[in-house]
Amino acid sequence: MIILTKEDIKKCITMKEAIEINKEALKNYSNKNAIVPLRTNLNIDKYNGQALFMPASISGKNDSLGIKIVSVYPDNVKNNLPSVPAIMLVFDSKTGIISGLLDGTYLTQLRTAALQGAATDLLAKKNSRIAALIGTGGQAYEQAHAMLTVRKLDELRVVGRNFEKTKKFVELINNDFKQFNTKIIALENSNTAITDADIITTVTTSTTPTFNSDFVKLGTHINGIGSYTPEMIELPTKIITQADKIFFDTNNGVLNEAGDILLALKEKMINKSSFTGELGELISKKVNGRENNDEITLFKSVGSAVLDVATSEAIIKKAAKIGIGNCIKI
């Protein structure tokens, strides 16, 4: 079994590679080549905790099998411990023998960003030059990385709840992403940030919309990445009704968990016929994507274990090939 830390994983995969792996995983999912059971949630009431178990298997070009385990223990911060630790276990599909254990926290950041990168690559205008990123939390760094990877941006505008924190975050990514030659700036107001933007990515756990749809121009591509429960609502309902094409990572996940979409359905501002399809269906050419530069396209995700499994399988193979990580016998 190979054990891989965050730094090990970074040596094994690029963002560009992760984006292509996510595209293939979504294609397999939409083509019914993946088994993704509903996650199992265990409440540990005695310690105010919860454990989430998310398995998946893929049968395709690269057979994959694994399970991600995420613990949610809010009180851990009192003891200077992570409140949402996670690990990923990878198994050999042929034998069922465990082949790897990965840092699940970074893996989630990587594959979630790669998912957004896939959607942006497939749906945003090719000549997109201005992007807005709303949110500066744990997911934001790689989300910025993904947008910069798939489009040659002149400007990336970043907005967070705390402007001082936003400025420090922008300083970090300006330093780390110099190779993209993009002007990255911190702004205090999300509506200022999205004005004239070609791409908008919101990655928060907000329970209220993070921007006003009146400031969205024709031709914009929007990614709703952060919210993943019925109570969380990042996207304004109006923009969902304005969008010409609406794509999900998985229909099952979004229609059961995404508060943005569920609210629009509940208020009967849209119906299920309003949705274009899964991103995997677009990749398989079963549905059409952007057809002109005036269309507003929208991608909503809540995440899926199929992405964790596909990404981690590729990482494990690369690690074994180049001799990265700690290998133990069990």
Side-chain angles (χ1 to χ4, degrees):
M1 178 176 72
I2 298 175
I3 301 176
L4 299 174
T5 65
K6 173 180 177 178
E7 294 307 315
D8 292 331
I9 294 171
K10 285 183 174 182
K11 295 173 185 176
C12 294
I13 191 170
T14 65
M15 178 58 73
K16 187 175 181 179
E17 290 170 336
I19 288 169
E20 294 307 313
I21 290 165
N22 272 247
K23 287 180 183 178
E24 185 66 22
L26 291 171
K27 181 179 177 181
N28 278 319
Y29 178 87
S30 293
N31 287 338
K32 314 298 183 187
N33 293 326
I35 301 172
V36 187
L38 291 174
R39 67 186 178 193
T40 298
N41 297 2
L42 295 182
N43 290 318
I44 315 299
D45 295 332
K46 182 178 179 180
Y47 299 106
N48 188 31
Q50 188 179 48
L52 313 176
F53 298 84
M54 295 168 276
S57 67
I58 303 172
S59 177
K61 183 179 179 181
N62 295 300
D63 292 343
S64 309
L65 174 65
I67 182 169
K68 187 168 74 173
I69 305 170
V70 181
S71 301
V72 183
Y73 278 66
D75 296 339
N76 276 2
V77 293
K78 299 174 184 177
N79 298 310
N80 199 30
L81 294 170
S83 59
V84 191
I87 61 166
M88 181 74 198
L89 297 174
V90 183
F91 301 85
D92 185 302
S93 289
K94 294 180 181 178
T95 66
I97 296 173
I98 190 168
S99 57
L101 183 152
L102 294 77
D103 177 339
T105 303
Y106 179 66
L107 175 72
T108 302
Q109 294 169 357
L110 174 66
R111 67 83 162 154
T112 305
L115 172 61
Q116 175 264 114
T120 301
D121 190 32
L122 292 164
L123 294 169
K125 293 179 297 185
K126 298 300 181 185
N127 63 346
S128 295
R129 290 291 178 263
I130 299 174
L133 174 63
I134 302 173
T136 58
Q139 295 283 341
Y141 181 95
E142 294 298 343
Q143 292 290 330
H145 191 185
M147 281 194 286
L148 292 167
T149 298
V150 297
R151 288 294 182 270
K152 186 173 176 56
L153 299 174
D154 295 329
E155 187 172 280
L156 174 60
R157 304 164 180 172
V158 182
V159 180
R161 286 184 299 178
N162 182 308
F163 190 50
E164 290 304 313
K165 179 183 175 182
T166 302
K167 288 190 287 186
K168 290 180 181 179
F169 175 75
V170 166
E171 183 180 349
L172 171 67
I173 60 177
N174 258 315
N175 183 66
D176 288 359
F177 298 142
K178 288 178 181 177
Q179 70 271 28
F180 293 107
N181 296 313
T182 297
K183 180 182 180 182
I184 306 176
I185 60 174
L187 294 175
E188 292 188 80
N189 185 280
S190 62
N191 294 327
T192 302
I194 70 170
T195 299
D196 295 326
D198 301 297
I199 303 165
I200 301 169
T201 296
T202 177
V203 56
T204 75
T205 55
S206 178
T207 56
T208 57
T210 58
F211 62 90
N212 186 328
S213 62
D214 291 342
F215 293 87
V216 176
K217 71 174 185 178
L218 292 177
T220 301
H221 171 64
I222 301 160
N223 298 299
I225 303 297
S227 61
Y228 58 90
T229 72
E231 296 73 34
M232 296 177 186
I233 299 172
E234 288 186 292
L235 301 173
T237 304
K238 186 177 177 181
I239 199 60
I240 298 172
T241 66
Q242 291 174 321
D244 297 285
K245 302 282 173 59
I246 300 174
F247 288 90
F248 301 151
D249 55 352
T250 68
N251 289 336
N252 185 50
V254 171
L255 293 176
N256 280 286
E257 298 178 332
D260 326 85
I261 301 299
L262 294 176
L263 178 62
L265 287 169
K266 181 181 178 181
E267 295 185 350
K268 298 183 178 179
M269 298 183 74
I270 57 171
N271 54 53
K272 290 185 179 180
S273 66
S274 306
F275 309 136
T276 311
E278 293 178 331
L279 202 63
E281 294 177 301
L282 173 60
I283 296 166
S284 298
K285 303 188 186 315
K286 294 179 180 178
V287 295
N288 293 326
R290 174 178 293 278
E291 295 180 278
N292 62 66
N293 282 342
D294 286 334
E295 284 188 322
I296 293 175
T297 56
L298 187 148
F299 174 66
K300 177 61 198 169
S301 76
V302 294
S304 172
V306 72
L307 306 170
D308 297 299
V309 168
T311 306
S312 57
E313 175 70 18
I315 291 168
I316 287 292
K317 286 182 177 178
K318 185 65 175 293
K321 183 177 180 181
I322 63 178
I324 292 288
N326 293 318
C327 190
I328 64 170
K329 291 184 178 182
I330 55 174

